[in-house]
Amino acid sequence: TTLEPDQKSILTDNDWKKLWMRGGINGDSKLDNNLDSSDSPMFEDSELMAHNTTVQLGGTAFLVCKVSGVDRVGVNWNQISWIRRRDWHILSSGAQLYTNDERFAILHTPGSNMWTLQIKFVQRRDHGMYECQVSTPTGIISHFVNLQVVVPEAFILGSGELHVDMGSTINLVCIIEKSPTPPQYVYWQKNDRLINYVDSRRDITIETTPGPRTQSRLIIREPQVTDSGNYTCSASNTEPASIYVFVSKGDNMAAISRRKTSSADRLTHIFRSMLAPCLLLNTVVVRHIFLT
Amino acid sequence: SRFTNRRIMFLIYMTNLVTHVMMDEPRFAQPIPNVTVAVGRDANLPCVVEHLGGYKVAWIHIDRQMILTIHRHVISRIPRYSITYTDNTWLLHVNQAHQDDRGYYMCQVNTNPMISQVGYLQVVVPPNILDIESTPSSVAVRENQNINMTCRADGFPAPKIIWRREDGEEIAVEKKKKVLVYDADVLPLTKVSRNEMGAYLCIATNGVPPSVSKRIILDVEFSPMIWVPNQLVGAPSGTDVTIDCHTEAHPKAIIYWVYNSVMVLPSKKYKTDYTENSYRAHMKLTIRNLQYGDFGNYRCISKNSLGETEGSIRVYEIPLPSTPSKQVTHTTVESRENNIIPSSRNDTTKSLQTDVGYAMKNDLYPGSASSSSSGGSSSAASSSSSMQTSALPGGVAGNSLSSMGSKGSLAIGKSTFYTERPPNEYAASSVAGLLLHRALLFGSGIYLTLL
């Protein structure tokens, strides 16, 4: 009988990726609570040491890591590091930056025990787990911060068009949600001109109710044909939402004409957006021909 | 139209510029090989990076989620890690590897976006037999009973355990099917017979030298039994006669002779011999200068802790041939008739003696054969010490080990991981770059013409 060693199954690519992600889930268990605080560094229990941080798209995030026992044991500067768990990208080591992404920075005052990771112009892809890691003689201790990137959204109830007759009432409702702080003001525009401060017309009313789900209502009583146009709602931290309002005398032919105009504008936009991809595609084709 | 042309030219220029920059970006010249190391040994993981420039290389142990090195600095405070850099190769040293060091290691470069690749470090452990969880080195069982002999071992990969007998005999398992090598942790022996008594070897192997083995001595206990080859022995007075019994017993039995209810002790009259082989014994009793009082029934007795048995041998007298010759001298007329009769009697006596001698030889021959065959196991059984030895008995096992050693090397597939960008596959030569640049300009010319 040939003596064959028992081959243990080796992790495949997918397996180690799962292991990778699972590490993030079980990361908190890595926090070694048995370390003697007088001999090894440990994380201070502080309000600043949040485990969840919410930041707005395009905003600036501050992830705080406060370590005690650093000076006592003479821990070197390069043993406190920030890591992005999404792809295990090292961001910093001590006060020095490792990543070349210029949006990252380390805020540290020499002599203090706080290493704050600053992320400017936060993108959607920055969402995820970040780890502050301290080296110890037996391995590491970690503090995890989950960064949530929220994108405030504005939308107007109803479809993209609204048809009303003269003498009726235009009633537009704009909802702004997913904002870390409620916007203080909601702007209404008609054909790119602000409506909020037009005091000459008494029949326009704007009511805004701030909250987790901010609601702003635009009411135009007894509209005229000249009130037709593109109405836009936006806040300081959102992309604008638009709706086209048609005010008619009851003549359907005019409405159909305006729709055609709208369609033409859309086709123009589509044509322009196709230009750049065609250009790049041409370049790629040339490179392909050359390589072949 | 002019504005559009400008935009197109600008985009082409930017594309060309980006392509040019990409050619000088760092890239991994070769994947990280998967390394296998025995626990306690040193291992090296190489990461070969070309066009590093001002960028930095870092090592991470993914399974521990621990940063090891950044550039030339060792971040980890585990002193077994170190880093060296020579000729585009960043070599991560792992000294005296632990089992915790097993896993994926990532080498990354801080480009934006960063590039990285991973390799696997396999830490293997030689097999080690666990005495606490295994059958003791000496075990006793009653004959016809069942016994399971267990052998547990740890190691990485998990060891494979086989059983074999030290004397090379076959093992009876699973409804008395006989095998030379049994492959399992537990060796099940059913209705154990005395033939299965002896030393068993449990051998643990996992492809990582050295393999280890444990020696377990199996004692099969049974009550004594006696076998008498000749129950009737005749001999003339004044001669010597030898009677014998064969006995088997385990544990070892007390064996002795009894005549007329008196234990026979060695003396001028009696001589006793014992020959022992494992659980077998051959007992002989020699009676010198047979006299009238020596004829009768002799008993051989065997007794141990499990029981007692005996055999019986009757010794009777055979008349001497000198008596008929005396009768001849008394009568002259009858002497003629007597001359014929004594001659035939003498012939009969000689024939009987010859038969007895031949039978004795036949009995002795199989006994000696049995003695020589069980001699080996006896000497093996005599050494009571049990230990885990790395040396295996027999050339066959050794050959198996050597061949297994080569097969034991673990083949782990390569694993490379890039994030957000495919590797730069273009050649780094400047000639290719120049040609590509001109090709792009040519392509832009075509595009403008079409426009």
Side-chain angles (χ1 to χ4, degrees), chain A residues 11 88 98 100 133 135 287, chain B residues 65 67 104 108 110 426:
Chain A
L11 293 177
W88 259 100
Y98 173 80
N100 265 312
Q133 186 176 110
S135 302
R287 283 166 52 173
Chain B
Q65 302 152 30
I67 302 175
Y104 282 100
Q108 68 174 246
N110 64 340
Y426 305 120

Side-chain angles (χ1 to χ4, degrees), chain A residues 1-283:
Chain A
T1 304
T2 305
L3 303 178
E4 289 287 346
D6 190 8
Q7 294 283 345
K8 179 181 182 295
S9 63
I10 301 302
L11 293 177
T12 61
D13 286 353
N14 291 329
D15 289 334
W16 77 260
K17 286 178 182 175
K18 292 176 185 174
L19 174 70
W20 213 356
M21 292 307 162
R22 188 169 65 249
I25 298 173
N26 300 328
D28 286 331
S29 64
K30 291 269 182 177
L31 188 60
D32 196 342
N33 296 319
N34 297 327
L35 290 174
D36 188 355
S37 61
S38 61
D39 291 334
S40 301
M42 62 182 303
F43 295 111
E44 288 192 4
D45 189 5
S46 168
E47 293 179 357
L48 291 173
M49 297 279 286
H51 285 277
N52 287 286
T53 298
T54 303
V55 68
Q56 183 175 293
L57 180 69
T60 302
F62 297 91
L63 312 182
V64 179
C65 185
K66 199 171 183 181
V67 183
S68 69
V70 174
D71 295 335
R72 197 174 310 151
V73 300
V75 175
N76 295 325
W77 56 269
N78 60 352
Q79 290 178 356
I80 296 172
S81 311
W82 275 102
I83 304 168
R84 180 172 67 199
R85 296 294 301 258
R86 168 164 57 88
D87 51 357
W88 259 100
H89 186 21
I90 303 172
L91 303 174
S92 70
S93 180
Q96 291 195 358
L97 216 57
Y98 173 80
T99 177
N100 265 312
D101 192 337
E102 296 177 349
R103 300 179 299 119
F104 291 88
I106 291 295
L107 311 180
H108 171 69
T109 304
S112 74
N113 59 352
M114 190 181 297
W115 280 263
T116 301
L117 177 69
Q118 174 188 284
I119 311 175
K120 293 186 287 186
F121 314 118
V122 172
Q123 305 298 312
R124 283 187 175 83
R125 66 174 187 274
D126 295 326
H127 169 95
M129 190 81 69
Y130 290 78
E131 175 186 355
C132 173
Q133 186 176 110
V134 182
S135 302
T136 63
T138 57
I140 57 169
I141 56 175
S142 301
H143 169 68
F144 294 90
V145 182
N146 191 29
L147 181 65
Q148 299 178 13
V149 180
V150 294
V151 182
E153 293 180 2
F155 60 94
I156 300 177
L157 299 181
S159 62
E161 294 178 352
L162 179 65
H163 298 263
V164 297
D165 294 333
M166 291 180 58
S168 301
T169 302
I170 297 177
N171 190 351
L172 303 178
V173 179
C174 178
I175 305 294
I176 298 179
E177 59 182 6
K178 298 184 181 179
S179 179
T181 56
Q184 297 179 359
Y185 209 79
V186 177
Y187 301 95
W188 285 96
Q189 296 176 346
K190 175 197 172 188
N191 296 339
D192 298 332
R193 281 189 295 106
L194 199 62
I195 300 176
N196 297 66
Y197 303 110
V198 179
D199 296 330
S200 60
R201 300 191 53 173
R202 293 290 183 266
D203 54 348
I204 297 180
T205 305
I206 297 178
E207 300 173 352
T208 302
T209 308
R213 183 181 165 101
T214 302
Q215 180 173 285
S216 180
R217 184 183 302 268
L218 172 67
I219 300 176
I220 304 177
R221 288 177 292 273
E222 298 182 358
Q224 302 299 319
V225 175
T226 56
D227 288 325
S228 301
N230 192 44
Y231 287 80
T232 302
C233 155
S234 66
S236 58
N237 58 0
T238 67
E239 293 294 321
S242 300
I243 191 171
Y244 203 93
V245 178
F246 296 94
V247 182
S248 61
K249 295 180 181 179
D251 188 354
N252 292 330
M253 294 304 298
I256 295 173
S257 298
R258 294 195 180 98
R259 286 180 195 167
K260 283 189 175 180
T261 304
S262 176
S263 297
D265 288 339
R266 291 181 183 177
L267 287 176
T268 303
H269 180 69
I270 291 172
F271 180 77
R272 287 176 180 173
S273 64
M274 289 287 289
L275 185 61
C278 289
L279 180 65
L280 293 176
L281 182 63
N282 175 74
T283 305

Side-chain angles (χ1 to χ4, degrees), chain B residues 131-326:
Chain B
D131 261 343
I132 297 178
E133 303 179 23
S134 304
T135 300
S137 298
S138 179
V139 66
V141 65
R142 293 293 300 273
E143 198 176 30
N144 286 328
Q145 294 289 320
N146 300 337
I147 186 174
N148 285 338
M149 292 204 290
T150 304
C151 189
R152 308 285 183 190
D154 62 6
F156 192 96
K160 173 185 179 181
I161 292 179
I162 62 167
W163 291 88
R164 62 168 73 234
R165 290 188 61 166
E166 193 176 62
D167 52 13
E169 296 289 338
E170 287 182 333
I171 302 174
V173 291
E174 296 169 1
K175 301 179 180 178
K176 295 305 173 182
K177 183 183 70 176
K178 297 226 173 185
V179 295
L180 204 58
V181 174
Y182 188 72
D183 182 3
D185 286 15
V186 178
L187 175 64
L189 301 176
T190 55
K191 288 182 176 295
V192 178
S193 70
R194 61 195 66 180
N195 295 320
E196 299 177 62
M197 187 176 346
Y200 289 74
L201 293 179
C202 141
I203 303 163
T205 57
N206 69 349
V208 183
S211 297
V212 291
S213 66
K214 177 175 184 178
R215 190 167 179 269
I216 300 176
I217 297 177
L218 177 65
D219 279 338
V220 181
E221 300 179 343
F222 55 95
S223 56
M225 62 181 300
I226 274 185
W227 171 48
V228 181
N230 298 301
Q231 293 187 358
L232 197 61
V233 176
S237 297
T239 62
D240 298 345
V241 70
T242 300
I243 57 179
D244 62 338
C245 294
H246 294 274
T247 181
E248 292 183 352
H250 195 86
K252 188 174 176 179
I254 300 172
I255 50 182
Y256 56 95
W257 295 91
V258 172
Y259 176 62
N260 285 341
S261 302
V262 176
M263 184 174 176
V264 175
L265 298 175
S267 64
K268 185 178 179 181
K269 167 67 67 176
Y270 299 110
K271 174 192 173 187
T272 58
D273 283 325
Y274 299 100
T275 306
E276 290 181 349
N277 298 301
S278 180
Y279 54 88
R280 297 186 181 88
H282 188 195
M283 51 199 306
K284 295 181 180 178
L285 175 64
T286 301
I287 312 169
R288 302 190 186 95
N289 193 16
L290 275 170
Q291 298 300 326
Y292 178 78
D294 295 329
F295 296 107
N297 196 45
Y298 289 81
R299 289 186 295 144
C300 54
I301 300 175
S302 175
K303 180 188 297 183
N304 74 356
S305 60
L306 299 178
E308 175 181 351
T309 187
E310 66 179 45
S312 178
I313 304 174
R314 174 167 288 278
V315 180
Y316 68 94
E317 182 182 14
I318 299 177
L320 289 174
S322 59
T323 306
S325 61
K326 291 182 179 181

